[in-house]
Amino acid sequence: MAETIFWFIAGLAALISGAEFVVRAASRLAGFFGVSRLVIGLTIVAFGTSAPELAISLKAGLVGQTDLMMGNIVGSNITNILLILGITALVMPLKVHTSLIRFDVPVMIGISILLFFFALSGAITLAESGVLAFLLLVYLLYLGFQGKNPSVPSDAEKQKRTPVLILLYLILGVAGLILLINGAGWLVESAVVLAEMAGVSELVIGLTIVALGTSLPEVVTSLVAAVKGERDIAVGSVIGSNILNILAVLGVSGLFIPEINVQPSLISFDLWIMLAVSFACLPIFFTGNKIARWEGVVFLGYYIAYMIYLFLSSAQHDALDTYNSVMLYFVIPLTVMTVVVILAYEFKKRWRFRHFRGFGAARKDETNGNE
């Protein structure tokens, strides 16, 4: 027990220090070469923080623990949005880049729907994994093209851009990724041991302990990035990680596994939750291009509610039916109604702004014509 707790603490320490290194290195390298911080967040940082999911999913799949693998992927995507964006927005409201709303969030929603339809058959086949891997290639090519028109680095950044300093930050970034990956591994392994002692099922372990553990790099990286003012990295790493969890973690791992079984409970509940939270990003990101503190509180509340459901369901607790009724007939309808009202208000505000601007321009032209 003492050894397990030691590795849990060591993993947490490695995650925190690794995230600090990754954010600092990514931010500096982006400034040196004029690459937008959003692209850095969607690619390098997202790949680094998704590495634990890839390592654990591939290992679990190869030894036949496909429940743990699927639970890890689906649970990580739910955790990334509800927990990570919730905590990060609570600490500091996050501005959302327009390109995320127009492209990356719709991509995340689209591939989540695709995964849901693939899972309906009860298994992810080798061909379907190949489709996901191909879509990963297309997505990365798009990001590469997007990064071909970088912003111009400032004069101060150009002066600092020496080969030695570039190499130093590359080493710092790699060291940070190594700490993130190892830290997540230590923490997850120790947490799984503790969970197994409590007699929790493999799927629930994947959806909770492993998903939370492998998402800890994103949690810490996003928090550190937000506190440092690198908000594009904070949000971009979460959305990019969700996309990569499906396309890279599941797609690439699936190329080495003939068939990945999908439990009926995952299809009937957890995949629906993953779809719901993916769709929830679009209206929340759209309203004012930001995630406000109160929206972060809502995300956190739903994450806690989801965790409570999983543990009540796993224990077959007597309160499960009552809990389901409250969520189904009160909490979810209230949330949907709130989102609809906010969207209606936002559309109305934007319509009035455009109408007023158009009216003002017409009046100006009319005045100039009279002169």
Side-chain angles (χ1 to χ4, degrees), residues 198-201 204 307-320:
V200 181
S201 72
V204 172
M307 290 293 104
I308 292 172
Y309 169 83
L310 287 179
F311 284 108
L312 287 177
S313 177
S314 176
Q316 291 297 305
H317 198 278
D318 295 338
L320 182 61

Side-chain angles (χ1 to χ4, degrees), residues 25-301:
S27 176
R28 285 291 185 166
L29 290 171
F32 287 164
F33 295 101
V35 178
S36 75
R37 283 159 171 77
L38 179 61
V39 172
I40 291 289
L42 285 165
T43 53
I44 296 173
V45 178
F47 258 118
T49 55
S50 289
E53 282 94 337
L54 179 57
I56 288 173
S57 294
L58 187 56
K59 180 181 177 181
L62 290 174
V63 297
Q65 295 177 315
T66 53
D67 284 351
L68 186 65
M69 176 184 180
M70 287 300 300
N72 178 30
I73 292 166
V74 174
S76 291
N77 276 24
I78 294 170
T79 301
N80 285 350
I81 294 174
L82 295 184
L83 179 65
I84 298 175
L85 288 183
I87 290 177
T88 310
L90 197 59
V91 172
M92 184 171 294
L94 298 169
K95 293 293 287 182
V96 181
H97 202 283
T98 306
S99 67
L100 268 178
I101 302 169
R102 291 179 178 174
F103 181 76
D104 299 285
V105 173
V107 166
M108 180 182 69
I109 293 171
I111 61 173
S112 297
I113 294 171
L114 183 63
L115 173 58
F116 179 81
F117 280 109
F118 282 171
L120 285 177
S121 64
I124 308 296
T125 65
L126 186 62
E128 289 167 343
S129 296
V131 170
L132 295 175
F134 173 74
L135 291 175
L136 169 67
L137 181 61
V138 173
Y139 179 67
L140 292 178
L141 286 173
Y142 168 80
L143 289 180
F145 176 78
Q146 191 181 35
K148 280 187 177 180
N149 299 308
S151 56
V152 179
S154 64
D155 292 335
E157 294 286 4
K158 285 180 179 178
Q159 290 176 2
K160 293 177 183 177
R161 195 174 65 185
T162 63
V164 174
L165 203 55
I166 291 171
L167 180 61
L168 177 65
Y169 280 112
L170 282 172
I171 293 171
L172 186 69
V174 171
L177 290 177
I178 291 171
L179 282 171
L180 282 172
I181 294 166
N182 287 325
W186 297 336
L187 192 143
V188 168
E189 287 173 9
S190 58
V192 168
V193 169
L194 295 173
E196 286 176 345
M197 288 178 182
V200 181
S201 72
E202 187 179 292
L203 180 59
V204 172
I205 289 174
L207 286 165
T208 55
I209 304 296
V210 178
L212 179 59
T214 54
S215 291
L216 277 175
E218 288 95 329
V219 174
V220 183
T221 301
S222 296
L223 279 173
V224 172
V227 169
K228 288 180 172 293
E230 303 291 348
R231 301 186 188 185
D232 280 346
I233 291 178
V235 182
S237 66
V238 170
I239 301 302
S241 182
N242 272 23
I243 292 171
L244 294 175
N245 280 347
I246 296 175
L247 298 185
V249 176
L250 183 57
V252 173
S253 298
L255 295 177
F256 299 92
I257 304 164
E259 191 172 79
I260 302 168
N261 294 323
V262 182
Q263 288 286 347
S265 61
L266 204 66
I267 301 169
S268 62
F269 185 76
D270 302 285
L271 280 168
W272 283 105
I273 297 296
M274 187 187 75
L275 282 175
V277 298
S278 297
F279 274 103
C281 284
L282 206 51
I284 289 175
F285 284 14
F286 179 75
T287 52
N289 285 27
K290 68 179 181 180
I291 310 171
R293 278 197 172 94
W294 72 268
E295 290 168 331
V297 171
V298 171
F299 274 178
L300 276 176

